[in-house]
Amino acid sequence: MGSTSFSPSISLSPSLSPHSSKFPNPSPDLFLRSHSSFTPLTLRSNQTRYRFKKLPSSNAPNFLVAASAKAEPLKVIISGAPASGKGTQCELITQKYGLVHIAAGDLLRAEVAAASENGKLAKEYMEKGELVPDEIVVMMVKERLLQPDSQQRGWLLDGYPRSSSQAAALEDYGIRPDVFILLDVSEDILVERVVGRRLDPLTGKIYHLKYSPPENNEIASRLTQRFDDTEEKVKLRLRTHHQNVDAVLSVYKDITVKVNGNEAKERVFAQIDAALTHVGEQRKVNSGSVAA
């Protein structure tokens, strides 16, 4: 499994210290002597912002005080091939961490159903049987990520972006995850999972002939198979998926964590949980080193 490294970077205005090129790290109880050229400024680390303001006083020299803001919530992107178990892992992640789960496909359908401005634009392409342009989907995703619940609770972006251009568009909007989780499953296992899938048209429940067989013969007799759940077609889908992931990894290579998805779902989640815990611990360390 890959490792990630998070190091805070703080930029200090030259006017803050006209007589010295270095300055102590800020902390909530650190007071800095004011200067006539001082202006309020913000120091930023990866997770914490420090805002310096002058303290009003008529009988004493002006000072600046640093106040630490609460660390931002977790931001996660997860990617995986068809039948990689991504849906199951998204459920487990949201249950434990309370993140807002956002899947581009679900979001697109919801926008169309709600007849939003973006939804109306997307519907025009869908009705003509054309792919919805990246700029429309990216705008939908961006607006959803900026909603209050996503900002307060953090978010889990499911299976998106799918191309380097989509990833670059999110970067242009200042949207970047803390970690990019990639479920790595061997092709043989993926093919077996897909080819064995069956749908109960009556209940909508998904079964697998080997791993999750129907409860009785009555259900078994009515199960159907998706037209593209064949070995030949799933291999074509996997080839496309791998090409897309390779392109996206070029944008997120420094924050990518590869998870062995060949194992049972509990063990897969244990790996993901460890990675997210590590991100949280790194935040605390970075926040502490900045405030020390």
Side-chain angles (χ1 to χ4, degrees), residues 28-263:
D29 58 351
L30 178 65
F31 293 83
L32 309 177
R33 190 176 301 277
S34 67
H35 185 272
S36 59
S37 64
F38 284 179
T39 56
L41 57 90
T42 300
L43 299 184
R44 289 184 176 88
S45 72
N46 285 347
Q47 293 83 27
T48 307
R49 294 182 178 181
Y50 294 89
R51 181 68 178 174
F52 285 78
K53 295 181 180 179
K54 288 185 179 182
L55 292 179
S57 174
S58 57
N59 300 321
N62 288 330
F63 291 93
L64 298 173
V65 62
S68 175
K70 185 179 179 181
E72 295 180 358
L74 200 59
K75 302 183 288 291
V76 181
I77 291 179
I78 186 169
S79 177
S84 63
K86 182 164 57 65
T88 297
Q89 296 306 318
C90 285
E91 289 179 7
L92 296 173
I93 293 170
T94 53
Q95 285 173 11
K96 177 163 185 179
Y97 290 90
L99 305 179
V100 177
H101 179 208
I102 302 169
D106 294 341
L107 183 59
L108 179 60
R109 286 185 287 273
E111 292 279 338
V112 171
S116 68
E117 197 63 37
N118 286 326
K120 291 176 182 177
L121 292 173
K123 188 176 181 180
E124 293 178 7
Y125 290 92
M126 295 168 69
E127 288 179 340
K128 292 184 289 186
E130 300 176 2
L131 291 175
V132 179
D134 279 353
E135 55 266 28
I136 296 178
V137 181
V138 169
M139 185 63 67
M140 289 182 181
V141 172
K142 183 204 76 166
E143 291 178 357
R144 184 65 187 88
L145 293 177
L146 295 179
Q147 290 294 314
D149 59 344
S150 299
Q151 293 293 298
Q152 294 166 9
R153 293 162 48 193
W155 44 261
L156 172 63
L157 190 52
D158 178 357
Y160 192 89
R162 294 189 178 94
S163 67
S164 58
S165 61
Q166 293 171 353
L170 291 179
E171 293 275 302
D172 290 342
Y173 284 124
I175 296 171
R176 184 171 177 81
D178 299 307
V179 60
F180 181 89
I181 296 173
L182 177 61
L183 297 178
D184 190 18
V185 185
S186 67
E187 184 168 306
D188 288 345
I189 291 179
L190 290 172
V191 171
E192 181 185 44
R193 289 178 180 177
V194 171
V195 172
R197 287 193 305 203
R198 296 293 186 272
L199 169 69
D200 183 347
L202 191 62
T203 64
K205 184 176 180 179
I206 301 293
Y207 291 92
H208 192 280
L209 299 181
K210 179 179 178 180
Y211 300 111
S212 180
E215 294 86 351
N216 54 57
N217 291 333
E218 180 185 352
I219 296 176
S221 65
R222 65 174 184 249
L223 296 183
T224 61
Q225 183 181 28
R226 272 178 47 166
F227 75 94
D228 56 350
D229 277 357
T230 62
E231 182 171 350
E232 180 183 0
K233 290 184 177 179
V234 74
K235 285 185 175 180
L236 288 175
R237 287 157 61 195
L238 290 175
R239 190 176 302 123
T240 300
H241 166 77
H242 292 316
Q243 291 172 349
N244 291 341
V245 166
D246 288 343
V248 173
L249 284 178
S250 65
V251 179
Y252 299 124
K253 58 185 177 181
D254 59 326
I255 55 171
T256 295
V257 174
K258 285 190 176 182
V259 172
N260 181 3
N262 294 318
E263 301 184 356

Side-chain angles (χ1 to χ4, degrees), residues 3-17:
S3 60
T4 58
S5 175
F6 301 87
S7 57
S9 58
I10 296 179
S11 173
L12 199 59
S13 169
S15 66
L16 182 61
S17 181

